[in-house]
């Protein structure tokens, strides 16, 4: 039996479900978390000694505290935290409804941060651990129709980079998972549309929203292979800070690097000219 204890949020569907199934099959211990525990009971049915179902809405502080305590009481520690719980939302920025956007931030960012803060004391005490935050290629590259979703994932990326620099000397590793299109429920039932539609955005945000919705269930990404990649990163001695998943993610990230380089090089003189002269 492998000795690491995993805590995985958002296990009812998608990456979380595939990952929970895989780590248990491979002999790890795991806390399998979901807002509705009935959705994940089948995952743990064959693993009474190595799995535990956790009722967890990451936006509820009492459930966060309870989930962490429950798994620690059962298995003695937490070695790997996978912050996978999240939702999507489609709408141009001007179309987006404040209550929907704030709800998404509460789940995608603040819930992730709450889980991380709850687990960090355990990892600090043992001077080891690995925190994996599921973001998106949309945490590196912005797209029309998902501007506020992008904002939540850009926040996760920046938060994770800072966290990695704070915890490296404590033996705690951090990895941001940045997938492109995978056959999960993200573009289906896990993402709401704005009820506001402004015709002026039809050719930008509207077109991309329709394309993403129409692609749901046909994405090239295989969630099972994504789970295997995440386990590989955890088992690596030197896991990446950012793990891209999918060819489209790699292409998008490389295009972004080229765009950044072009802007930096083109505006280098203006950029460096904003400092005081040397010696002053």
């Amino acid at each position: 039996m492998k000795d690491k204890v995993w805590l995985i949020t958002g296990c009812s569907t998608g990456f979380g479900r595939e990952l929970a199934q895989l780590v248990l099959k491979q002999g790890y211990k795991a806390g399998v978390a979901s807002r509705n525990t009935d959705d994940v009971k089948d995952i743990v049915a064959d693993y009474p000694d190595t799995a535990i179902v956790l009722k967890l809405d990451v936006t509820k502080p009492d459930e966060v505290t309870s989930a962490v305590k429950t798994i620690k009481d059962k298995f003695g520690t937490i070695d790997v935290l996978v912050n996978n719980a999240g939702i999507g939302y489609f709408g141009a920025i001007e179309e987006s409804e404040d209550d929907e956007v704030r709800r998404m931030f509460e789940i995608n960012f603040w819930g992730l941060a709450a889980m991380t803060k709850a687990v960090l004391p355990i990892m600090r005490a043992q001077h080891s651990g690995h925190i994996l935050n599921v973001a998106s290629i949309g945490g590196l590259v912005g797209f029309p129709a998902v501007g506020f979703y992008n904002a939540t994932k850009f926040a996760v990326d920046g938060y994770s980079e800072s966290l990695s620099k704070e915890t490296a000397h404590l033996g705690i590793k951090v990895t941001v998972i940045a997938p492109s299109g995978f056959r999960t429920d993200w573009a289906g039932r896990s993402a709401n549309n704005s009820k506001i539609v402004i015709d002026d955005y039809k050719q930008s945000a509207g077109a991309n929203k329709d394309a993403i919705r129409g692609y749901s269930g046909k994405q090239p990404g295989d969630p099972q292979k994504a789970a295997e990649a995440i386990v590989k990163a955890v088992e690596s001695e030197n896991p990446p800070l950012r793990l891209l998943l999918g060819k489209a993610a790699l292409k998008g990230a490389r295009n972004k690097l080229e765009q950044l380089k072009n802007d930096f090089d083109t505006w280098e003189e203006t950029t460096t000219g904003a400092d005081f002269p040397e010696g002053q």
Side-chain angles (χ1 to χ4, degrees), residues 156-179:
V156 167
D157 186 90
Y159 169 93
S160 301
E161 184 172 330
S162 292
L163 180 65
S164 73
K165 294 175 180 178
E166 293 176 356
T167 61
H169 70 289
L170 298 170
I172 302 170
K173 301 171 183 178
V174 179
T175 297
V176 184
I177 309 298

Side-chain angles (χ1 to χ4, degrees), residues 14-36:
F15 286 158
R17 186 174 187 85
E18 291 290 345
L19 185 59
Q21 291 173 329
L22 180 62
V23 300
L24 288 170
K25 182 178 180 180
Q26 291 192 353
Y28 289 106
K29 297 173 183 175
V32 179
S34 176
R35 286 183 297 171
N36 185 348

Side-chain angles (χ1 to χ4, degrees), residues 49-76:
D49 297 325
T50 57
I52 183 172
V53 171
L54 301 170
K55 178 174 172 52
L56 176 59
D57 180 334
V58 297
T59 68
K60 296 181 178 179
D62 57 332
E63 292 191 12
V64 170
T65 301
S66 176
V68 171
K69 182 179 186 303
T70 299
I71 188 173
K72 186 175 184 296
D73 287 347
K74 182 172 179 65
F75 296 130

Side-chain angles (χ1 to χ4, degrees), residues 109 142 153 160 170 222 242:
F109 180 73
K153 297 305 186 178
S160 301
L170 298 170
D222 181 342
R242 293 178 180 86

Side-chain angles (χ1 to χ4, degrees), residues 2 14 17-18 25 32 38 80 89 97 120 136-137 144 161 167 179 182 184-185 197 216 226 243 268 275:
K2 299 186 178 182
R17 186 174 187 85
E18 291 290 345
K25 182 178 180 180
V32 179
D38 289 338
V80 183
Y89 177 74
E97 303 143 304
L120 276 172
S136 167
I137 185 56
E161 184 172 330
T167 61
F182 278 72
T184 67
D185 282 339
V197 178
S216 183
L243 177 62
E268 180 178 358
D275 288 343

Side-chain angles (χ1 to χ4, degrees), residues 40 46 95 170 196 272:
V40 296
D46 293 331
E95 295 171 340
L170 298 170
I196 301 167
T272 58

